Amino acid sequence: MRFILIGTLHEVFESAAVSDSPEDLRLARCGPRDITLYTRPGCHLCDEAKAAIAPILREFAAVLHEVNVDEDEVLKERYGWDVPVIFIGQHKAAKHRVDLAQFRKQLRDAEAR
């Protein structure tokens, strides 16, 4: 699987869809072992991404926080149908598909910061 987009929370916060929503505030406090998966029910790419990263999360003792974008109007507006989106800490790591080698490297690099 392969994700293409990489960015920072700063880039997300610069977008027009950013707010002081509880989710934005939670994400801003995340550390390098906090993994956020933005998803929605019935999303097969989301299910595939979650299953694919599970062994890597265990390897790094990382904690997965799943967020249903349909339950938050800000997130629904921000991501629309562009799920899954995965953040490592405050940095966007992937969107749609996961490149597992790249994801592992991103986790390693996040811990080194």
Side-chain angles (χ1 to χ4, degrees), residues 10-78:
H10 178 75
E11 292 166 345
V12 171
F13 281 157
E14 287 181 346
S15 75
V18 172
S19 73
D20 289 329
S21 78
E23 178 55 26
D24 287 342
L25 298 174
R26 184 201 65 79
L27 190 62
R29 293 188 306 270
C30 284
R33 290 184 186 217
D34 297 316
I35 309 306
T36 303
L37 171 63
Y38 291 105
T39 184
R40 69 171 24 95
C43 170
H44 72 281
L45 289 178
C46 301
D47 295 338
E48 289 174 13
K50 181 179 175 184
I53 66 173
I56 298 172
L57 297 181
R58 285 191 296 275
E59 176 184 331
F60 284 85
V63 177
L64 180 65
H65 183 79
E66 283 186 77
V67 178
N68 178 353
V69 298
D70 291 337
E71 293 177 354
D72 182 316
E73 286 303 316
V74 171
L75 297 177
K76 196 172 182 180
E77 170 82 18
R78 183 178 299 153

